[in-house]
Amino acid sequence: MQGQIRELEELLHSADDLETETLRRHANEAEAKNEVRDGVKGEIKGSIGSASVQSDALLSTANKAHRSLETRRKFKDSKTDFLQRHILEYQRLFRRMQEVSNGDSFLFLDDLYHIRRSDQAKVLDYFHRIAKGNGLWLKSGTIRHRTQWYRHGDPPTGLKIGDDADEIDLDLTLEKFSLTKTFLTAILGGFIAECEGLSMGTLLSPGALDRLVLASGGVARDFLGIFRKSIHVARERAGGHRGPKIGTEDVNTAAGEYESAKKEELHRDTMDEEERLDAEFRAIREFCTAKAKSNVFLLSKDEDTASFDTVQELVDLRLLHKVRSRVTVSGRKGDIFEAYMLDVSQYTASRKMRDLEIIEFWLQESQERLRRASLIYHHHRSEGA
């Protein structure tokens, strides 16, 4: 294993796709002998013991001919080719690990979406070839709509979900609001239980927990991050007329402050696609706050693929949150829509809009409010924006 690591580290720090030229020289020597006997007589005398030896002399001339051959070869020294050539060695290595440890190995590939999309299926395909049948399990963490784990071709490349791998969604969504709330409350309750004299009721006012779930979009790390900021906000206002508990307005303020973290992730995770995604997000935010005047908008399932995929990427980046997968609209018979919520950070704190309607989509009495045609969003390019 140490030998393989050293070899791979050397490969890592070497140049890739480096043009290399090899030169080979082949030299051949041919000797032609001309023997002359006629007309030439010589005598060689020597003494071996007491005996005398006499022999005819043989005169010969030798001509030597030299011939050289040069072979030049040019090729690119590719790291990818190196890895492909050594795949059998890596398979044997993991089989040996299985024998030695009497158990399987586990390989974690995190943040796969940071790799170029065109290369993602190749990376998964390579490790799948090493793992399959060799006592190795793979777990890859990524963002769903920023990942291409399978590519059709001859042969196909990558992993097929359902056949080669199973998909595990680590985050709950706002579609199942009560289930998500129960899950996040249990996580927070576990931390609070470690603090003597504290309880959920002593920290949060009625309604603050619902707003906290809403602001997090169902993502556990955002839930805890906004909760932490809410504590700071409540401390800074030092009680006042709202009392010592974390209230809804404290959560709103904390969500607004938390926006910078999401924007930073947008910049870091999207790289050259940031401009496209940011333009779409600004158009959606403008539609919700200025036109629909609602925290929720509807997107047709018949929307063009590029637009629909962009919205899904913004959901993965936690700037939008899916709240309903099937909504019908009054007067639009046969059309099916999906409902999304604009992130709470976009209409709270310093940019709070007093005339913005907050649709509590998780309540039964709010279902009819989702069916308005005024909430239907169209891709901003189709509107000439």
Side-chain angles (χ1 to χ4, degrees), residues 89 120 332:
E89 295 177 29
Q120 291 168 1
R332 302 288 293 268

Side-chain angles (χ1 to χ4, degrees), residues 150-163:
Y150 183 79
R151 294 181 66 181
H152 292 283
D154 187 17
T157 305
L159 293 176
K160 218 170 188 179
I161 301 299
D163 292 343

